[in-house]
Amino acid sequence: MIKIGMIGIAAVFLALLLKKEKGELALLVGIAASVLIFGYTLSRISFILDFLRKLMDTLPVDPALLKALLKMLGITYVADFSASVCREAGYGSVAGQIELFAKLSIVALSIPELWVLLRLIEQMTGG
């Protein structure tokens, strides 16, 4: 975490120095730092995937449910990253559309799980 924090702080300071003279370079420094941090984040995902595999082996949970959860987490991270880059570049409306699409994608992914939950409730209530 310290490495990531230092990359972020260094990028911000460099971007602030460049902003007055070369605004477009400041934006590129910010985007480059974001991509670098994103790459470090992706390297950590293998740890999460290993944990989820062990969880699926241990618990009687349908693997499709955990896959859907992982997809939802991925959608939120990619959408937040993309929207932040767009917002930083001054394209707030594009950022808003990315966030809206992400929300709708998560709702679409959750519909099968909601259907399973409703059927389970129906079985439990005898309806």
Side-chain angles (χ1 to χ4, degrees), residues 31-70:
I31 291 172
S34 296
V35 169
L36 186 61
I37 293 169
F38 185 73
Y40 274 109
T41 303
L42 290 178
S43 70
R44 303 288 186 198
I45 287 181
S46 64
F47 174 75
I48 297 169
L49 290 175
D50 289 340
F51 172 75
L52 287 177
R53 282 189 197 103
K54 289 177 186 174
L55 185 65
M56 286 190 302
D57 292 340
T58 306
L59 297 176
V61 176
D62 184 7
L65 295 175
L66 291 176
K67 284 182 183 180
L69 177 62
L70 189 59

Side-chain angles (χ1 to χ4, degrees), residues 55-101:
L55 185 65
M56 286 190 302
D57 292 340
T58 306
L59 297 176
V61 176
D62 184 7
L65 295 175
L66 291 176
K67 284 182 183 180
L69 177 62
L70 189 59
K71 285 180 184 179
M72 289 178 200
L73 290 172
I75 288 170
T76 58
Y77 186 75
V78 170
D80 184 58
F81 174 77
S82 303
S84 294
V85 169
C86 291
R87 204 170 275 114
E88 180 69 26
Y91 293 93
S93 61
V94 175
Q97 292 303 311
I98 290 170
E99 291 169 341
L100 176 63
F101 183 79

